[in-house]
Amino acid sequence: MTTFNVGYLVGSLSTDSINRKLARALTRLAPEGMTFHEIGFADLPLYNYDFDADYPAEATAFKAAIKGSDALLIVTPEYNRSIPGALKNAIDWGSRPWGTNSFARKPTAVIGTSPGAIGTAVGQQHLRSILGFLNAPQMNTVEGYIQFTPGLITDEGEVTVEATETFLRSYMAEFHAHVTRVLTVLPRED
């Protein structure tokens, strides 16, 4: 069986982020055949095209981590009905300069959690629009808009509500199937 190397991005920079807890849970609940590594972006400066001719080391490393992953899982909060600015900045770095888009042909899934009743639905739709433009094949269903309640997920990533754990396990099984389908049709470019 093929093992996929999945990079994941947590949209929040907070060390106590509930989306970081969700990311830990997802990596624990994933089926066999997937390994995970977080792709951090807290040290990226604000993107502007003045850097295109001479990318900073942090941005070069970020692009290499995206490119070196078989697939991407983005776990993000919703800020003001959109995605966090730091995540958008990272995406801009990873997709620039023109012609060097690290997200192209990369199987991608988006999920998030929030204390609000609709989870991160609106922010995810904005992110899906961006990823569509970047030619990142997306898992369109199952969608995951998780309402976070205190104690739902421990700091270690253990899910305490059986129905939520079952849903997240199913989500990750679907993500594995999505990655398999995409990489069968669009093999990795080395």
Side-chain angles (χ1 to χ4, degrees):
M1 173 171 33
T2 301
T3 298
F4 299 116
N5 175 26
V6 179
Y8 68 92
L9 287 77
V10 177
S12 171
L13 298 181
S14 171
T15 54
D16 294 328
S17 166
I18 59 177
N19 281 278
R20 184 167 308 286
K21 289 181 183 184
L22 176 58
R24 284 188 199 112
L26 292 166
T27 62
R28 290 174 59 115
L29 297 172
E32 289 185 34
M34 302 179 99
T35 61
F36 294 88
H37 62 280
E38 184 173 356
I39 301 174
F41 52 84
D43 295 333
L44 291 171
L46 291 176
Y47 174 78
N48 79 68
Y49 64 82
D50 292 344
F51 289 111
D52 283 0
D54 186 23
Y55 250 46
E58 301 89 350
T60 300
F62 178 77
K63 285 180 70 75
I66 297 287
K67 190 155 180 66
S69 300
D70 295 318
L72 298 173
L73 175 64
I74 303 176
V75 185
T76 186
E78 180 178 295
Y79 289 0
N80 299 316
R81 298 291 189 242
S82 191
I83 61 172
L87 177 59
K88 177 62 167 74
N89 183 58
I91 292 169
D92 290 344
W93 277 109
S95 63
R96 305 290 180 155
W98 188 88
T100 65
N101 174 12
S102 299
F103 294 91
R105 301 176 65 169
K106 196 72 60 180
T108 306
V110 175
I111 193 169
T113 188
S114 163
I118 63 170
T120 57
V122 180
Q124 285 188 42
Q125 292 310 310
H126 283 189
L127 181 53
R128 289 177 191 285
S129 177
I130 294 164
L131 293 170
F133 177 77
L134 296 178
N135 193 27
Q138 298 172 60
M139 183 174 85
N140 293 314
T141 125
V142 173
E143 295 178 320
Y145 312 118
I146 309 301
Q147 182 178 18
F148 193 90
T149 55
L152 177 66
I153 303 171
T154 68
D155 289 343
E156 295 76 32
E158 293 178 33
V159 181
T160 62
V161 175
E162 186 178 346
T164 302
E165 180 178 338
T166 299
F167 171 79
L168 295 176
R169 191 178 303 280
S170 172
Y171 180 91
M172 293 306 286
E174 288 293 331
F175 181 44
H176 183 269
H178 170 71
V179 173
T180 301
R181 284 190 304 272
V182 171
L183 294 180
T184 298
V185 176
L186 299 172
R188 278 192 59 166
E189 296 175 343
D190 294 322

